[in-house]
Amino acid sequence: MAWNEWEELKAEALSRQRDSPHTRLNTLDGGSSGGSGLPGSYGDLKVTDDDLAGIGAAAFELHDDLWDTVRVNVPSSEAAAADLSRQGFALGSGLQHVADRWEEQLMSLVDACAQISNHLRVTKKLHDGDEVYIQRRLSSIAALDAGFNERTGRPDGEKAT
């Protein structure tokens, strides 16, 4: 490939990029969306315990519904597949294959729901522990600062009351 051809291809790609809409990640449009639109300025992610509890409860409920309701059809499909196979129908092995794949996918989904529910419960517990630890550390620093202020006086020279 000649150097001129390479330069032409680069220029063509750049003009296509400018002319066509494309997705920009991690930025705001600077319009009426309320963001500053400046690169590097991001909003704060804020999640309350109620939010986590709601998501965890929904995942747990979905887990139970999948296990109790959807899984009920798997044994009947397997029985039908076995009966068709005994009668010499090739459809029996096909139905068994579908039932096996269905159960694998269903169990993956059930496991994912359980992991979401458990992860959110553990995350909440860990962050609660972190919060208590941080509060203890800050209160001990405040007590230490108060002790220094009592011995040396206030920085502006006035006596502490």
Side-chain angles (χ1 to χ4, degrees):
M1 178 182 295
W3 184 258
N4 291 339
E5 186 179 359
W6 171 246
E7 290 299 324
E8 287 175 17
L9 289 172
K10 286 187 346 185
E12 187 179 311
L14 184 60
S15 71
R16 274 197 315 262
Q17 185 179 13
R18 285 186 200 144
D19 296 340
S20 66
H22 55 279
T23 303
R24 288 174 40 185
L25 301 176
N26 295 331
T27 61
L28 298 174
D29 62 357
S32 61
S33 65
S36 68
L38 298 174
S41 65
Y42 304 102
D44 290 334
L45 175 63
K46 183 177 180 180
V47 179
T48 64
D49 288 341
D50 291 340
D51 295 331
L52 294 177
I55 294 168
F60 185 76
E61 185 178 328
L62 180 58
H63 171 272
D64 286 350
D65 287 347
L66 288 170
W67 185 257
D68 294 340
T69 308
V70 179
R71 192 172 182 285
V72 170
N73 295 329
V74 173
S76 60
S77 297
E78 290 174 343
D83 188 39
L84 287 169
S85 294
R86 274 194 303 274
Q87 294 178 36
F89 289 101
L91 182 62
S93 64
L95 182 57
Q96 183 62 50
H97 176 77
V98 170
D100 290 343
R101 294 302 159 267
W102 174 261
E103 186 164 19
E104 285 175 15
Q105 295 298 315
L106 177 63
M107 296 313 296
S108 292
L109 187 56
V110 167
D111 288 345
C113 290
Q115 285 180 346
I116 289 168
S117 178
N118 292 338
H119 178 72
L120 290 175
R121 191 176 304 120
V122 168
T123 300
K124 181 182 179 304
K125 200 175 284 188
L126 286 174
H127 286 295
D128 286 347
D130 290 344
E131 189 70 24
V132 169
Y133 173 77
I134 291 168
Q135 287 174 348
R136 273 190 273 140
R137 297 293 286 182
L138 289 176
S139 67
S140 67
I141 291 170
L144 184 63
D145 283 347
F148 280 121
N149 288 340
E150 286 175 8
R151 282 191 296 183
T152 61
R154 292 179 29 186
D156 57 8
E158 294 189 25
K159 292 192 179 217
T161 56

